[in-house]
Structure formats: C-alpha cells, structure tokens
Amino acid sequence: MTPSNQLAKGLRGVVLGGNQIANTNYKEQLQSVDINKATKKIDDLNTISLLAQHTHYYIEGVRDAIVEGNLAIRDKYSFKFSQIRSQKDWLDFLNKFWKDTEELAQLIDAIPETKLREHFIAERYGSYTQNIRTMIEHCYYHLGQIVLLKKMIE
C-alpha cells in the first residue's frame, strides 16, 4: 500500500466506515442522529450538526484546494453555517459529507508519493502529507466530541 493509499484509507476510516482507531466513525455515529438530536443545544457546547458541518468544511476545502490549487477556506469561517432546520436538510447534508469525503479520498489516493512531500498550496502550509494527516486528526478530535454529545443527549 502506498503512502497515498494509507492516507486515503485513514480519511475513509474516520468518516465513512472504519474503526481502527476510535472503534467508530462519523457515518456510524451520525446515521442514527435525527434533526432534533443534531441541533440540540447543551449549555455553551457546539451542536452535533455544527461539529459535523465544521468537519465537512475542511474536507470540502482541502478537496477543492487539491483540484483548484487554491486554498479558499479560512478558520474564521469554519463555524459559520446556515442552520440545518429539517430532517431532509440534515440528510442532504450527510449525503454531501459522505460524497465529498469519498471524492477527497480518491484524490488523495491518486497523489504521487513525490508530491506528498511538496508544499501544500504554499510553503507556509507545510507538505501535502502533513496537511492530510492533520485533517484526519482534526476529524478524530471532533468525532470524539460528537460521541460525547450523543451520550449526553441520549
């Protein structure tokens, strides 16, 4: 398995289906969450919906950056989303989350090993490998929050 394949497998594992590290993944956790649970506010914590959208924001942004060669996402916008108001909107969002994650995984799979060591868009962002690994770790961080929120809600 190439380094690109390993990175793509890691992304698929945390989002789409795998339990190598956390014994769960986003798809497993979010498929049983309805709109009421997804948007339930507990004290000053982020909602499940907001955390999922935040995670998707980075996945979509990295995917677009690989395709377009421009990193348009910004941390200051990473928690600013239209509120998901209906079950249909929630399911549509989840389907987009799964689709965009698979598209990014396919792009990662195709990155030549030499390119993994190159700068991701600009030198200040580090290498492709570093950015992809960091994004996967970021996914696990918020997955843990989602798991805890689900337990608090249920």
Side-chain angles (χ1 to χ4, degrees):
M1 185 178 294
T2 69
S4 295
N5 299 145
Q6 290 172 343
L7 289 168
K9 181 180 179 184
L11 177 62
R12 284 183 181 107
V14 66
V15 177
L16 300 174
N19 56 13
Q20 297 171 339
I21 294 175
N23 203 31
T24 192
N25 57 73
Y26 278 82
K27 197 168 193 179
E28 181 179 296
Q29 289 298 313
L30 296 178
Q31 283 182 329
S32 64
V33 172
D34 64 20
I35 186 63
N36 295 321
K37 290 179 184 174
T39 58
K40 182 162 180 62
K41 189 74 174 139
I42 298 175
D43 299 324
D44 64 345
L45 302 176
N46 290 316
T47 64
I48 290 172
S49 172
L50 190 60
L51 291 169
Q53 290 176 82
H54 171 78
T55 302
H56 173 258
Y57 177 79
Y58 284 101
I59 288 172
E60 183 179 45
V62 170
R63 181 205 61 194
D64 292 348
I66 290 172
V67 170
E68 299 166 8
N70 176 40
L71 188 62
I73 56 176
R74 300 290 179 261
D75 290 344
K76 66 182 178 180
Y77 303 121
S78 69
F79 278 102
K80 297 187 186 291
F81 309 103
S82 299
Q83 186 176 9
I84 294 176
R85 298 187 182 277
S86 70
Q87 184 66 22
K88 181 186 181 315
D89 290 346
W90 174 241
L91 295 175
D92 288 347
F93 162 73
L94 290 178
N95 286 328
K96 182 168 176 41
F97 189 5
W98 314 148
K99 179 183 151 293
D100 291 346
T101 300
E102 180 54 35
E103 286 176 7
L104 176 56
Q106 288 176 16
L107 289 168
I108 293 168
D109 253 333
I111 297 174
E113 189 171 349
T114 55
K115 186 166 181 130
L116 286 175
R117 294 186 290 270
E118 292 177 9
H119 299 302
F120 179 76
I121 311 302
E123 185 175 356
R124 70 180 181 263
Y125 298 127
S127 70
Y128 274 79
T129 298
Q130 178 186 1
N131 275 270
I132 295 165
R133 281 189 181 148
T134 299
M135 184 185 58
I136 292 168
E137 291 169 6
H138 179 248
C139 288
Y140 276 111
Y141 173 77
H142 291 301
L143 176 61
Q145 292 176 321
I146 289 168
V147 169
L148 290 173
L149 284 168
K150 275 184 69 178
K151 288 181 181 194
M152 292 170 75
I153 292 167
E154 294 170 351

